[in-house]
Amino acid sequence: MTITLHDAPSAVRDHRSVERAAARVLLTNWTGASTVPSHTLYPHQWSWDSAFIAIGLRHLSPRRAQRELETLLGGQWADGRIPHIVFNPAVPLDAYFPSPDFWQSTSAGRAAGAPAGIETSGIVQPPVHALAAALVHESDPETSRRRGFLERLYPRLVAWHHYLTRHRDFGGRGLAAVLHPWEPGMDNSPCWDEPLARVEPAPAASFRRADLTHGDAADRPTDLDYGRYVRLAGDYRDHGYRDAGTEHSFVVEDPGFNALLILSEYALADIAQALGHDAESHRAQARRLTDALVDRLWDDDAGLFLCHDVRAGRAIEEKSVTGLLPLAVPGLPDGIARTLLRTAAGEHFGLGSTTALTPSYDLRGHSFDPSRYWRGPAWFNINWVLERGLRHYGTADCADTLRQSVLAAGAESGFAEYVDPYTGQARGTTDFSWTAAVVLDLLADVHGGGGTR
């Protein structure tokens, strides 16, 4: 399943055809102000999708990549949160659930601080945005400076990080917690099974599974899990999306979410430096978060970072790819970095041996399913992050092999949302935007002209 990346003209032609195909996905999914993940399954703007999309889009149009992030941040709330969906008012309500009328973010008194005149959800997704903004700027610094791109985004990104570190430290342990399985992005991970078991599902008659119109039920969350997702979101809405002073049923510290916050905090330092602001405060914050991540979530016996159920006061023993994502964090203790590399290549994830792409969940886990959403399939954005980590910690050969596998699987699957980690078979929807985006970014790296990664 690997594209051979030699200098032969035939290989270059293959790369160019993949590049053109990936570009077509992003151009087709562009709506004029932002990019949908998929016109059928996800017809609005999603938060961490747009960050990854901007990272790839910068190779086609830095100006459009800037617009992608600007449009998303136009939906930012007064408390700093970036909502996980910014809704397109031109899309019919029944095209996606939960739709704007469920979230009610603009209803009087429902959500103080929600943006006026823009319908959004009330929960969040992983904070990849500062990393994306820094990479977009570096792809065309002249245009970025002329438009004041970083000047306008920097205070918004600072407010976003402040929200996570000040309002979401429910465990009092220096880490940001998530309040819904959709927030860490790995919606249906087996890591959430235990904390979700405490949640009474919403009645099936109270919601409609629009996702099943365009997706195979065998690839999607079960009705029981979906009912619990709806209950959690509805309870948060009914309490005005307040973080403090509310009894939350689901509170989890997720290592991947916090690892991406650390990466983005370092990116904020780079942005601050480019603007002539204090950069060291961001680096110091990144180091504090890293110390908390290691102290609180590292498990030496498991060989990776584990999620922590704040409500129950204990670690969640499931081995998920979220526990490998801190490999992308600079400054990990040497022993932890080496152990993560061994775990990624070992029997639980099989990277480079039994699987071409890192699966989302333990290959030997009791809940492993190579087809079902986040319970085993491999995701392209996650493997993009891991490729950076492999390269950072000195395993360039492994990083090159993973990069080749991402390129091959992305092209051969029709830029699938996710794939079977053993066979590369497409799962979910195809022509998926962040898959095309990370393929473009890795291709630019192969060609040596793709800017800073």
Side-chain angles (χ1 to χ4, degrees):
M1 188 197 292
T2 56
I3 293 175
T4 303
L5 303 176
H6 297 307
D7 292 329
S10 61
V12 173
R13 285 196 298 273
D14 287 343
H15 302 163
R16 295 304 183 195
S17 66
V18 172
E19 185 176 34
R20 287 193 296 272
R24 279 196 298 272
V25 171
L26 292 187
L27 296 176
T28 299
N29 290 348
W30 174 255
T31 67
S34 63
T35 309
V36 296
S38 159
H39 278 291
T40 55
L41 197 54
Y42 307 102
H44 299 284
Q45 184 177 26
W46 262 258
S47 172
W48 76 322
D49 290 72
S50 277
F52 285 109
I53 288 165
I55 288 168
L57 196 54
R58 68 192 174 119
H59 301 295
L60 301 178
S61 169
R63 174 68 181 83
R64 189 171 286 188
Q66 292 174 27
R67 181 74 183 279
E68 182 80 37
L69 295 173
E70 291 163 352
T71 300
L72 178 68
L73 285 166
Q76 187 172 25
W77 290 33
D79 60 9
R81 83 181 74 189
I82 298 175
H84 96 296
I85 302 174
V86 175
F87 289 103
N88 181 350
V91 173
L93 287 179
D94 62 359
Y96 181 81
F97 181 86
S99 49
D101 56 341
F102 172 90
W103 296 102
Q104 302 176 26
S105 64
T106 59
S107 298
R110 174 69 73 187
I118 300 175
E119 297 275 12
T120 77
S121 66
I123 61 174
V124 302
Q125 278 189 324
V128 199
H129 312 88
L131 175 61
L135 292 174
V136 168
H137 167 77
E138 290 166 4
S139 68
D140 187 352
E142 182 179 346
T143 299
S144 174
R145 284 192 289 267
R146 186 173 65 250
R147 296 190 63 251
F149 173 66
L150 291 184
E151 286 88 346
R152 287 181 286 108
L153 262 64
Y154 176 70
R156 290 180 172 272
L157 294 169
V158 169
W160 167 222
H161 286 203
H162 282 178
Y163 168 76
L164 293 173
T165 55
R166 294 177 181 178
H167 294 273
R168 288 299 191 93
D169 185 8
F170 286 95
R173 296 150 45 100
L175 296 172
V178 294
L179 302 179
H180 194 289
W182 291 338
E183 292 199 321
M186 301 182 188
D187 306 20
N188 197 36
S189 170
C191 292
W192 318 140
D193 290 354
E194 186 177 331
L196 271 180
R198 297 190 295 262
V199 179
E200 180 69 23
S206 67
F207 61 89
R208 184 183 69 85
R209 294 287 303 273
D211 61 317
L212 298 183
T213 302
H214 304 288
D216 188 332
D219 294 353
R220 307 295 298 171
T222 65
D223 285 345
L224 176 61
D225 284 336
Y226 213 90
R228 287 169 168 153
Y229 304 155
V230 173
R231 172 72 68 186
L232 285 170
D235 287 350
Y236 195 32
R237 174 201 64 203
D238 293 343
H239 287 91
Y241 299 108
R242 292 190 302 273
D243 296 318
T246 300
E247 184 70 15
H248 299 283
S249 301
F250 182 100
V251 186
V252 173
E253 292 165 343
D254 176 76
F257 189 98
N258 282 278
L260 293 172
L261 176 58
I262 293 166
L263 285 180
S264 273
E265 195 67 41
Y266 278 118
L268 266 187
D270 293 339
I271 292 171
Q273 186 168 322
L275 294 173
H277 300 327
D278 171 37
E280 181 53 34
S281 62
H282 295 298
R283 297 190 183 103
Q285 174 74 313
R287 291 192 293 269
R288 284 193 295 271
L289 287 164
T290 303
D291 289 343
L293 182 69
V294 170
D295 291 344
R296 305 300 189 183
L297 301 186
W298 174 252
D299 189 291
D300 204 46
D301 292 335
L304 77 170
F305 292 85
L306 296 178
C307 298
H308 183 84
D309 185 341
V310 175
R311 285 290 308 275
R314 61 175 177 266
I316 297 170
E317 300 297 332
E318 302 286 359
K319 295 181 175 67
S320 161
V321 74
T322 194
L324 297 179
L325 287 187
L327 188 59
V329 170
L332 289 178
D334 289 343
I336 287 179
R338 288 195 300 270
T339 300
L340 283 174
L341 292 170
R342 286 196 299 270
T343 300
E347 63 179 354
H348 296 289
F349 295 94
L351 182 60
S353 54
T354 56
T355 63
L357 298 179
T358 315
S360 51
Y361 174 66
D362 183 0
L363 296 170
R364 300 175 65 85
H366 63 94
S367 295
F368 176 78
D369 184 333
S371 301
R372 196 176 290 278
Y373 208 61
W374 293 107
R375 301 181 82 85
W379 292 73
F380 291 90
N381 64 326
I382 298 301
N383 279 272
W384 180 91
V385 175
L386 291 174
E387 190 266 355
R388 292 174 67 90
L390 293 172
R391 206 168 293 283
H392 178 79
Y393 283 102
T395 55
D397 289 346
C398 293
D400 287 345
T401 299
L402 180 55
R403 179 177 63 191
Q404 292 169 7
S405 295
V406 170
L407 295 176
E412 292 171 8
S413 68
F415 304 100
E417 184 180 0
Y418 45 98
V419 296
D420 183 308
Y422 289 118
T423 67
Q425 182 179 352
R427 297 294 182 186
T429 190
T430 54
D431 291 334
F432 197 69
S433 289
W434 77 22
T435 302
V438 300
V439 164
L440 280 173
D441 191 58
L442 293 175
L443 276 173
D445 195 40
V446 169
H447 296 322
T452 304
R453 296 193 60 239

